[in-house]
Amino acid sequence: MNPAIPTPAEREALNAALLTTGTETGFWDDNGRPAPWPDDIDQWQPDTGEPTTCQPGEQPF
């Protein structure tokens, strides 16, 4: 388990606190509205596709 990902109980408490203060979690629903922490966040895996290759003089971001 990744220590940076809150447990389900911690997510529930964080979501409640964020809802009362109007703070965003950094997650959004399909309509672009701020959303709570997803229930399956502990199963998330980063997309590790092919690295992008920059052209000479091109910034990576």
Side-chain angles (χ1 to χ4, degrees):
M1 178 175 250
N2 185 333
I5 298 175
T7 66
E10 291 171 326
R11 286 195 301 269
E12 186 176 333
L14 287 168
N15 288 337
L18 293 171
L19 182 62
T20 60
T21 61
T23 305
E24 294 183 9
T25 60
F27 295 99
W28 294 269
D29 67 12
D30 292 336
N31 297 312
R33 293 180 298 236
W37 279 81
D39 291 333
D40 62 351
I41 188 68
D42 52 345
Q43 298 165 3
W44 176 81
Q45 294 291 319
D47 181 13
T48 56
E50 296 295 318
T52 55
T53 304
C54 297
Q55 298 297 321
E58 182 181 19
Q59 295 293 323
F61 299 104

